[in-house]
Amino acid sequence: MSGLPGGDSAARALAGLIDPPQARVLKQIRALWRTDARQRHGARKAASVSGAQLAALQAIHGRPGLGVNALAAQLGVRQPTASNRVHGLRERGLVLRLSDGSDRRAVKLQASAAGQEVLAREPAPAPAARESALQRLGGRLLRELEQDLARLLSRLPHEGPGQPPGH
């Protein structure tokens, strides 16, 4: 099963249930999901943390003193999601939470020695395959893709006000 409602889009296209262009686009979307799943699986296996936590740990290590809000912005997730990732990393002793002397409410994050060891076992962070491919598209094509995806997402049911599914 493809993970998409309605099963295999190629079979549905052959049966005349969806147009061949729709089937091709759905196949391309599945290919993106598979790429993401392979990267997450490899990261989890190598680091004994989730791929999302590994990305957070890399971001924190790359910018010591980063706050949770800034981490969320850098990862492209909401603040509660970033906070949950930090919580999991703290439980494993991979991230330290330091108070900001000037503002008691502000928290600065830093990779612990154990977190740095996890990162040292990982290959040097290279741009993700998708990011690299998007970068190679160039400005005009990337803007067109962004606009097309925005139109597609606007036609999907939203999980909350102004939020696309999975955000």
Side-chain angles (χ1 to χ4, degrees), residues 19-40:
D19 294 330
Q22 286 177 318
R24 288 191 300 270
V25 168
L26 290 171
K27 185 176 180 179
Q28 291 169 327
I29 290 171
R30 280 198 306 275
L32 284 170
W33 283 337
R34 282 192 304 270
T35 300
D36 189 49
R38 281 192 300 269
Q39 289 174 347
R40 282 194 318 267

Side-chain angles (χ1 to χ4, degrees), residues 86-102:
V86 168
H87 178 73
L89 291 168
R90 285 189 62 226
E91 282 184 336
R92 290 177 175 82
L94 303 177
V95 167
L96 303 172
R97 220 176 133 175
L98 309 169
S99 294
D100 184 346
S102 62

Side-chain angles (χ1 to χ4, degrees), residues 58 123-129 131:
Q58 288 171 333
E131 292 171 5

Side-chain angles (χ1 to χ4, degrees), residues 136-150:
R136 289 191 307 267
L137 280 179
R140 183 181 60 80
L141 287 175
L142 189 57
R143 282 189 300 278
E144 288 175 11
L145 178 60
E146 178 186 19
Q147 292 167 355
D148 291 342
L149 288 172

Side-chain angles (χ1 to χ4, degrees), residues 64-87:
L66 193 66
V68 176
N69 288 333
L71 176 63
Q74 185 169 337
L75 297 176
V77 298
R78 293 180 291 178
Q79 187 275 334
T81 303
S83 185
N84 287 339
R85 290 179 189 173
V86 168
H87 178 73

